[in-house]
């Protein structure tokens, strides 16, 4: 089993990265330091790590504001903290935004990943006791029909600017492994849900709109299928691969939990209704079918048997448990929601860290 002294987490102020930092600090088998490298885009929120800053700040946790495309800044962070692992979460992550403005996706996901890889290669100079773990998505494999699953051998077939840019980053990671011998692992995961997810993705949008009595926008016919995994289970899989995975290998991560969007929405309504005490009918009447997303992938489904069989990973949360925790979190954390939505948080960043 591999162990690490100093882990550089990119995108640690985002949804999955912030959950990953919480997860690592809860693990007794990790006693090292975490450096959180994040530029704080609209999706990055340090409030998600307030508790970590209070408990571990300046001792085992350090925040560095930097753009992963800024080579000099990334080199300086490597020189200052000498990480022996990188977990690369930082990315532009929302498909709808990639349709409205693809350029930021190419910059951050492709050029940013290239910069991280190249700086790591130069800093580590052929060391074998280090690891670059790249966090990617199942969307690189394209769209499935009614049957079948993505495996690690499925050919890449990305269809949105988001998934195309992530595919580019995956290829660069594997090229750095093959060509330069950089020790890498790579995971492709299905849709995550849980606390700290920016309210633009399906589950938080729907919870908040239900609570506020706003329309619930269902794209197209509502029958697109996604596989859903609770964020902590994604992070336990990432940690399993980092500590036990074979360098140069890719692993699929999934929830074995497929839902048509409209059916998932009904589950979510039932969970919100249990928490708020309202009638299901109050939420059902909010369902609004809207114009479909251009190029909307129909179905994603993951075969994660390699990860389960070879590395012994399994999920800890059922879908009911995960949804229930997520709904409770969004109902309780009104300040976090207000701050990310109102711009108050952007003002705080400007005051404390300046403009980008
Ligand atoms: P997110 O959008 O919530 O967070 C992204 C983080 O990266 C933010 O904190 C942002 O400030 C930071 N960032 C963006 N551009 C940057 C740059 N140029 N330099 C430094 N930091 C930058 O994303 P997420 O949902 O937490 O996803 C994290 C990773 O997991 C992404 O690589 C994504 O492709 C992958 N992934 C996400 C899902 C999902 O369901 N959300 C599923 C599978 C894989
Ligand atoms: P999303 O959370 O954006 O993740 P991804 O597109 O990366 O899978 O969307 C999940 C599914 O929900 C996808 O099929 C699009 C659909 N969707 C809606 O129907 N309405 C919405 O408001 C959003 C954000 C998504």
């Amino acid at each position: 089993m591999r162990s690490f002294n100093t882990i550089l987490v990119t995108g640690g102020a985002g949804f999955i990265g912030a959950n990953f930092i919480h997860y690592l600090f809860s693990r007794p088998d990790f006693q090292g330091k975490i450096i959180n490298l994040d530029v704080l885009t609209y999706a990055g929120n340090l409030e998600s790590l307030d508790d970590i800053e209070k408990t571990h700040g300046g001792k085992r946790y350090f925040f560095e504001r930097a753009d992963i495309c800024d080579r000099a800044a990334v080199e300086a962070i490597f020189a200052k903290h000498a990480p022996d692992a990188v977990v690369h979460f930082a990315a532009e992550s929302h498909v709808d935004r990639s349709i409205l403005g693809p350029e930021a996706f190419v910059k951050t996901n492709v050029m940013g990943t290239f910069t991280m890889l190249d700086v790591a290669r130069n800093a580590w100079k052929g060391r074998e006791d280090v690891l670059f773990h790249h966090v990617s998505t199942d969307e690189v494999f394209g769209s499935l029909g009614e049957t079948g699953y993505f495996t690690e051998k499925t050919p890449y077939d990305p269809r949105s600017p988001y998934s195309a840019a992530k595919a580019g980053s995956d290829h660069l990671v594997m090229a750095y492994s093959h060509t330069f011998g950089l020790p890498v692992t790579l995971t492709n995961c299905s849709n995550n849900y849980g606390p700290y997810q920016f309210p633009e993705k399906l589950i938080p949008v729907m919870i908040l709109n239900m609570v506020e009595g706003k329309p619930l926008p269902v794209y197209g016919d509502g029958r697109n299928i996604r596989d859903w995994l609770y964020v902590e289970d994604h992070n336990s899989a990432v940690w399993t691969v980092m500590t036990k995975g074979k360098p140069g290998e890719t692993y699929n991560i999934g929830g074995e939990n497929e839902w048509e969007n409209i059916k998932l929405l009904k589950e979510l309504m039932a969970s919100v209704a249990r928490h708020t005490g309202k009638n299901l009918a109050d939420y059902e009447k909010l369902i609004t079918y809207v114009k479909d997303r251009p190029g909307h992938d129909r179905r994603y489904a993951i075969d994660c048997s390699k990860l389960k069989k070879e590395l012994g990973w399994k999920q800890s949360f059922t879908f009911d448990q995960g949804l229930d925790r997520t709904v409770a979190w969004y109902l309780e954390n009104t300040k976090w929601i207000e701050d990310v939505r109102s711009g108050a948080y952007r003002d705080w960043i400007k005051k404390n860290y300046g403009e980008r």
Side-chain angles (χ1 to χ4, degrees):
M1 187 131 149
R2 234 172 270 117
S3 66
F4 307 103
N5 295 318
T6 302
I7 302 183
L8 178 60
V9 177
T10 71
F15 162 48
I16 307 176
N19 277 288
F20 182 75
I21 292 173
H22 281 101
Y23 174 75
L24 267 200
F25 278 121
S26 77
R27 285 202 64 102
D29 63 347
F30 177 71
Q31 289 303 321
K33 288 183 195 158
I34 293 181
I35 319 303
N36 175 11
L37 186 173
D38 197 302
V39 79
L40 303 178
T41 66
Y42 79 92
N45 185 349
L46 287 181
E47 275 181 69
S48 308
L49 294 159
D50 271 351
D51 52 339
I52 299 287
E53 180 63 57
K54 279 197 195 98
T55 320
H56 300 290
K59 299 185 287 266
R60 292 182 58 206
Y61 171 76
F62 300 85
F63 172 67
E64 297 281 0
R65 189 180 194 199
D67 189 326
I68 56 167
C69 301
D70 180 346
R71 187 179 185 106
V74 176
E75 279 173 348
I77 291 166
F78 258 79
K80 180 172 166 193
H81 295 285
D84 52 1
V86 171
V87 194
H88 182 36
F89 291 99
E92 289 292 341
S93 69
H94 190 40
V95 175
D96 291 330
R97 283 182 190 253
S98 84
I99 297 167
L100 294 171
E103 191 173 345
F105 287 71
V106 177
K107 277 193 182 142
T108 288
N109 300 1
V110 182
M111 282 307 294
T113 301
F114 158 72
T115 306
M116 290 305 306
L117 286 164
D118 211 51
V119 171
R121 172 169 84 100
N122 286 331
W124 286 338
K125 295 190 178 66
R127 275 173 63 182
E128 286 176 4
D129 60 333
V130 289
L131 185 73
F132 189 107
H133 180 81
H134 181 59
V135 178
S136 193
T137 165
D138 60 353
E139 303 190 24
V140 298
F141 299 122
S143 182
L144 290 165
E146 279 177 19
T147 57
Y149 297 91
F150 299 134
T151 73
E152 289 77 3
K153 295 199 167 71
T154 304
Y156 275 43
D157 182 22
R159 286 146 179 265
S160 72
Y162 163 64
S163 54
K166 287 298 289 187
S169 70
D170 290 13
H171 292 319
L172 282 167
V173 170
M174 297 319 286
Y176 268 66
S177 162
H178 288 292
T179 308
F180 302 117
L182 187 73
V184 309
T185 43
L186 190 162
T187 45
N188 296 97
C189 187
S190 57
N191 286 57
N192 284 215
Y193 67 100
Y196 307 114
Q197 187 167 31
F198 193 84
E200 64 183 354
K201 306 267 168 67
L202 180 70
I203 288 185
V205 163
M206 294 300 181
I207 297 173
L208 297 180
N209 284 14
M210 280 178 219
V211 172
E212 291 163 6
K214 292 187 185 154
L216 308 176
V218 176
Y219 297 171
D221 64 2
R223 300 197 55 199
N224 298 66
I225 293 173
R226 298 291 182 264
D227 169 61
W228 292 92
L229 181 67
Y230 190 60
V231 62
E232 192 172 318
D233 281 327
H234 180 187
N235 284 327
S236 73
V238 166
W239 186 239
T240 300
V241 172
M242 288 179 69
T243 51
K244 298 200 232 161
K246 244 169 111 185
E249 292 278 316
T250 73
Y251 297 85
N252 279 356
I253 307 172
E256 297 174 321
N257 179 38
E258 287 179 55
W259 289 89
E260 276 184 1
N261 290 339
I262 191 69
K263 289 195 178 143
L264 180 146
L265 188 53
K266 298 206 167 149
E267 290 291 301
L268 194 54
M269 282 181 201
S271 174
V272 174
R274 273 197 302 278
H275 282 268
T276 59
K278 281 204 157 198
N279 291 326
L280 214 49
D282 293 332
Y283 299 133
E284 273 167 355
K285 67 178 187 226
L286 300 174
I287 293 178
T288 310
Y289 287 90
V290 299
K291 196 165 168 282
D292 207 356
R293 169 189 283 172
H296 196 173
D297 287 340
R298 193 64 175 171
R299 173 170 170 258
Y300 303 142
I302 279 268
D303 175 345
C304 58
S305 51
K306 176 177 174 184
L307 176 64
K308 290 187 356 190
K309 280 193 200 128
E310 291 185 14
L311 306 185
W313 172 80
K314 58 179 193 310
Q315 297 180 59
S316 300
F317 296 89
T318 65
F319 193 43
D320 279 350
Q321 288 168 337
L323 272 191
D324 200 56
R325 281 177 169 233
T326 306
V327 168
W329 191 88
Y330 279 94
L331 294 181
E332 278 158 22
N333 287 274
T334 46
K335 181 173 179 327
W336 185 95
I337 292 156
E338 246 172 65
D339 288 351
V340 293
R341 282 167 144 194
S342 69
Y345 178 65
R346 304 307 322 160
D347 295 341
W348 180 88
I349 293 175
K350 227 185 276 171
K351 197 165 134 234
N352 288 275
Y353 292 96
E355 295 278 8
R356 273 176 78 181

